[in-house]
Amino acid sequence: MKLDDDDFSLFGLPPRQAQMRAEIDARWKELQAKVHPDKFATEGAAAQRIAMQWAVRVNEAHQRLRDPLKRAAYLCELRGAPLRLNENTRMPTAFLMEQMAWREALDEAAGAADVQKLDAELAQREDELLADVQLLLDEQGRTEAAAEQVRALMFIAKFRSDIDRRLDALGQ
């Protein structure tokens, strides 16, 4: 194990989008048991600093690997297609139309039931896009196309946060 290993190597997992959350969590626990700073309490400040670096590194990798969207973005980056979110905001026209329809539906929602219905629609669309990303990354090797889908998924995640805030405002 090296600090600069990619997350998949660090966790001993194949570099694929398809992963089992339970396996990721189990590997995280195993790694934490090996590198936790408390384990090095009697070995001096230098050993504790190194253990802290390892613990932070393992936690950061766990955060990326356990979240399907973060994992997909990370895989795109590893495979030479970084998202460049500040530079590349291009989206397919059909997705832009979907975005506009969702925004309009949220603006026009009369109550919590309408907002929850919209959230369910977005959750379904999110699942579809995640399945597409997995296919593009794991089976077709189309990383650039996957990166475009990941950008769309990031919009959906942000929009679903807007929906959550709206539901909170409605007392749900």
Side-chain angles (χ1 to χ4, degrees):
M1 266 187 350
K2 296 181 298 207
L3 276 174
D4 61 350
D5 279 348
D6 69 71
D7 295 351
F8 295 97
S9 297
L10 182 65
F11 273 60
L13 297 169
R16 298 179 48 87
Q17 178 64 14
Q19 300 287 340
M20 299 296 295
R21 172 73 186 264
E23 187 171 358
I24 292 169
D25 290 345
R27 302 275 173 109
W28 173 72
K29 286 179 183 177
E30 289 170 14
L31 287 170
Q32 278 298 332
K34 290 179 184 177
V35 302
H36 197 278
D38 289 349
K39 188 173 180 166
F40 299 87
T42 62
E43 295 189 31
Q48 287 179 328
R49 268 194 311 278
I50 291 169
M52 182 60 74
Q53 288 177 325
W54 271 105
V56 167
R57 173 70 180 93
V58 167
N59 285 333
E60 288 172 348
H62 182 245
Q63 292 299 315
R64 269 189 298 272
L65 292 177
R66 75 181 191 157
D67 181 294
L69 179 54
K70 290 177 184 177
R71 183 170 58 244
Y74 183 65
L75 272 169
C76 288
E77 184 176 322
L78 283 178
R79 294 179 183 177
L83 300 181
R84 296 186 189 106
L85 297 172
N86 295 330
E87 304 162 22
N88 187 354
T89 59
R90 186 184 74 241
M91 291 280 175
T93 303
F95 187 73
L96 292 173
M97 299 302 286
E98 274 183 306
Q99 287 181 34
M100 289 179 7
W102 292 330
R103 283 275 172 213
E104 189 175 302
L106 184 58
D107 290 344
E108 294 175 356
D114 291 341
V115 177
Q116 289 168 337
K117 181 180 175 190
L118 178 60
D119 189 45
E121 180 183 328
L122 266 99
Q124 180 178 350
R125 185 69 171 113
E126 187 176 41
D127 289 344
E128 291 167 1
L129 285 172
L130 279 169
D132 288 347
V133 165
Q134 184 172 317
L135 180 70
L136 290 166
L137 288 171
D138 292 352
E139 295 177 29
Q140 296 177 356
R142 297 178 51 213
T143 307
E144 289 289 340
E148 189 172 283
Q149 298 289 41
V150 169
R151 284 191 294 275
L153 281 160
M154 288 179 164
F155 168 83
I156 289 174
K158 182 182 178 310
F159 188 67
R160 289 191 74 198
S161 294
D162 294 345
I163 288 173
D164 288 343
R165 282 190 292 280
R166 177 75 181 274
L167 287 170
D168 287 345
L170 292 168
Q172 295 295 313

